[in-house]
Amino acid sequence: MYWNKELECISEEQLKELQFQRLKNTVKMAYEKVPYYRKKFDEAGITPDDIKKLDDLRKIPFTSKADLREVYPFGMFASPLSEIVEIHMSSGTTGKPVVAGYTLNDIEIWGEVMARCLTMIGTTKNDIVQVAYGYGLFTGGFGVHYGARKIGCMIVPASAGNTRRQIEIMRDFGTTILACTPSYALYMAEVAQEMGIEPTTLKLKAGCFGAEMWTEAMRTEIEKRFGLNAYNIYGLTEIIGPGVAHECVEKKGFHVFEDHFIAEIIDPDTGDPLPEGKRGELVLTTITREGMPMLRFRTRDITSLIEGKCACGRTFNRIERIRGRTDDMIKVRGVMLFPYQIEQAILEVQGVEPHYQIVITRPQHLDEIEVMVEMSKETFSDEVKHIENLKKNLERRIEDIIGIRVKVTLVEPKTLPRSEGKAKRIIDKRSLNE
Amino acid sequence: MNKVYMISVFAENKPGRLERITKVLTEANINILAFSITSTNGFGVIKFMVNKWKEAFDLLKERGFTVSLNEAIGIEMKDQPGGLYEVVKILSSKGINIESASVYVAETRKRAYLIVEIEDTAKAMDILKGENLKFLNPEEIK
């Protein structure tokens, strides 16, 4: 199902023309209205007139999260404050928060892209949409709300928390679409069971899950627990909030709404564009936003681009599931490495979610990787030879995936540090300043 | 069937690991009757036969150790020269391969038990039924 078939199935040629026109306008507006962009353009020696074709986008300097913090709170706004009708803010866990301003038209666009997301997974005006993302400065709640309202759904603005009541509402109202973080969905399933409500008896048919990284294994779990179809939603405050991209029923990547956002994949080290299928950092440019146009924003999310028409009929390019953050990336012997790759290998061999830590050293002139893996109940054997085999299998599988030989050390359970939220996976002991 | 149980614990090969495990058993007043350590580079497996195996197993698990419980057979032997030889002679004549073994001395210089772990405990006990062997009765060590 499409919300806006004409645009969602637009031909490549028409899309490129539309993107170019909109990009040109956005660049002009940014240059004229935002001193920060003007300064960056001047430093790079370019003007809006240098954008003569779509590919000229690459001439524009990147915008980073640090740039946005520097101009806190309103320095990136291209519209006067009198035209700004809504404000959202990122959490700012690592410094000053980022403030996003929306004009009335921006809110319209947000509703439009969110309506596409929800329709993509089968939502119609007959559905009851329970929004269990937080409402407030966080974009999650309002974003889904605006989309559902455009469709004409019955919205239950439950916001996050008060889990028992959420479940009672789902049961009593007959909620059909659930929108929340995937970890909260799993928690709700647990609580429902405690309350004596079997989650599969609820009327939920689909879920729109995002705002945090999650895995295929989690998807399977959520789908099994609730008997629904779980889909990925992608978005970020700096661009618009949720609704930048969404997964269709094919579950093979998320369609980026390219008539509003242009996606590029770059090598996070060099900034060079990467071809289709290559993993790198996602860079996004807004081409319709007025409140806060964003030019080549470095998301720090790692993914790859899937080009070409999808089986669902949409022509918008897709991004694959977010694989990690550039903050987690590490270069070893010149090779880009992410903890998720090692996690994947351990998961395949052990069959359980692993606790592990990666230690990088440089004893001589060559980097060495040691992967410490906690022994699990599931894989423990009382025979040393079996454990040695496990270790060898882990080493082999990791080498297959990352292309570098590693040393695996099996350690006792619960000996590696745990953390709430972001786990410290990499210990880099190389001294690189010699 | 006169099966006994061995508890196996995974341990890194570092000072203090055996101490941590035995402390748990000590505090629960569990007696170790037989034990063995196998180690290789970096890690090892410590095996115990104790008087209260179920309790010991649950306790170690609860304390976060990686632990497993394995069936074993205790075969009586004389605690004197030739005692072990007499027993293993029978095992090898029946083609029974020992995966791991330890010894429980019930009465010094008189009576001991060879505690063996075998791939198929039930089958092995069946084969050994007709032989002139005495098996350790789990009730005896409680």
Side-chain angles (χ1 to χ4, degrees), chain A residues 232-244:
Chain A
N232 267 288
I233 181 163
Y234 178 76
L236 57 172
T237 312
E238 293 84 351
I239 300 301
I240 199 160
V244 174

Side-chain angles (χ1 to χ4, degrees), chain A residues 119-319:
Chain A
T119 307
M120 202 181 271
I121 63 173
T123 311
T124 69
K125 70 185 294 293
N126 299 321
D127 280 299
I128 301 175
V129 178
Q130 189 156 332
V131 184
Y133 285 111
Y135 280 71
L137 288 169
F138 173 58
T139 50
F142 280 97
V144 178
H145 189 102
Y146 293 146
R149 190 167 64 185
K150 236 184 170 56
I151 297 172
C153 309
M154 180 172 131
I155 303 171
V156 184
S159 198
N162 209 339
T163 309
R164 298 178 87 87
R165 194 178 63 184
Q166 299 259 11
I167 292 154
E168 281 162 11
I169 289 173
M170 275 192 246
R171 181 194 59 196
D172 300 345
F173 294 10
T175 303
T176 52
I177 305 284
L178 175 64
C180 63
T181 63
S183 52
Y184 191 50
L186 279 177
Y187 178 65
M188 281 201 265
E190 268 171 39
V191 175
Q193 246 137 11
E194 278 170 32
M195 293 165 68
I197 298 170
E198 171 50 43
T200 48
T201 61
L202 298 169
K203 293 212 176 104
L204 295 173
K205 64 178 190 187
C208 164
F209 303 116
E212 66 187 11
M213 239 186 293
W214 55 307
T215 59
E216 271 311 309
M218 266 175 97
R219 180 192 334 244
T220 311
E221 189 65 25
I222 295 172
E223 294 191 333
K224 198 176 75 192
R225 293 271 189 101
F226 283 104
L228 53 65
N229 271 301
Y231 298 99
N232 267 288
I233 181 163
Y234 178 76
L236 57 172
T237 312
E238 293 84 351
I239 300 301
I240 199 160
V244 174
H246 204 284
E247 203 170 35
C248 66
V249 290
E250 300 295 323
K251 295 181 184 165
K252 284 176 187 153
F254 330 163
H255 290 279
V256 179
F257 299 113
E258 293 180 294
D259 51 335
H260 296 287
F261 318 107
I262 299 178
E264 301 169 84
I265 303 290
I266 61 159
D267 178 325
D269 265 7
T270 62
D272 294 336
L274 291 174
E276 178 192 7
K278 274 265 179 220
R279 279 187 191 147
E281 182 178 354
L282 176 66
V283 170
L284 290 167
T285 298
T286 66
I287 49 175
T288 50
R289 281 203 65 186
E290 303 168 340
M292 194 169 86
M294 205 41 61
L295 300 178
R296 300 194 87 197
F297 179 69
R298 294 187 62 154
T299 64
R300 297 197 283 189
D301 287 324
I302 300 293
T303 181
S304 66
L305 217 51
I306 307 163
E307 291 174 2
K309 192 172 166 179
C310 175
C312 75
R314 287 179 184 80
T315 48
F316 290 148
N317 285 339
R318 283 162 284 164
I319 50 172

Side-chain angles (χ1 to χ4, degrees), chain A residues 344-358:
Chain A
Q344 182 195 338
I346 304 172
L347 187 67
E348 281 174 27
V349 174
Q350 287 207 323
V352 285
E353 287 288 336
H355 288 289
Y356 65 96
Q357 197 163 50
I358 303 160

Side-chain angles (χ1 to χ4, degrees), chain B residues 108-123:
Chain B
T108 307
R109 296 284 177 269
K110 282 186 188 156
R111 187 165 55 100
Y113 289 89
L114 176 67
I115 314 294
V116 288
E117 285 174 61
I118 292 158
E119 209 172 82
D120 190 339
T121 313
K123 195 173 144 208

Side-chain angles (χ1 to χ4, degrees), chain B:
Chain B
M1 204 160 66
N2 286 332
K3 267 186 308 193
V4 291
Y5 286 92
M6 288 297 277
I7 292 168
S8 305
V9 188
F10 175 80
E12 285 167 65
N13 199 352
K14 282 181 184 166
R17 298 302 153 134
L18 185 58
E19 183 193 333
R20 271 175 44 202
I21 300 165
T22 50
K23 187 162 182 257
V24 173
L25 299 177
T26 305
E27 283 167 0
N29 201 24
I30 290 168
N31 194 21
I32 300 168
L33 305 173
F35 100 111
S36 71
I37 296 181
T38 322
S39 73
T40 173
N41 66 76
F43 65 88
V45 175
I46 303 170
K47 295 192 176 207
F48 300 97
M49 183 175 80
V50 298
N51 56 343
K52 294 178 272 187
W53 55 268
K54 183 81 179 70
E55 200 181 320
F57 174 71
D58 289 344
L59 193 63
L60 288 167
K61 207 164 74 175
E62 182 195 308
R63 296 291 173 87
F65 291 97
T66 305
V67 46
S68 73
L69 202 56
N70 304 80
E71 293 178 348
I73 311 172
I75 307 170
E76 190 181 310
M77 52 186 180
K78 294 192 182 88
D79 189 6
Q80 62 186 49
L84 178 60
Y85 170 67
E86 293 298 329
V87 170
V88 295
K89 205 166 64 178
I90 296 171
L91 294 184
S92 63
S93 73
K94 297 288 169 191
I96 294 170
N97 191 40
I98 299 172
E99 296 291 334
S100 112
S102 53
V103 171
Y104 161 46
V105 179
E107 287 175 88
T108 307
R109 296 284 177 269
K110 282 186 188 156
R111 187 165 55 100
Y113 289 89
L114 176 67
I115 314 294
V116 288
E117 285 174 61
I118 292 158
E119 209 172 82
D120 190 339
T121 313
K123 195 173 144 208
M125 289 192 86
D126 207 42
I127 293 170
L128 295 172
K129 223 188 292 175
E131 299 300 319
N132 185 23
L133 290 172
K134 275 195 212 154
F135 298 113
L136 176 60
N137 182 343
E139 292 301 316
E140 210 177 298
I141 53 171
K142 270 192 176 161

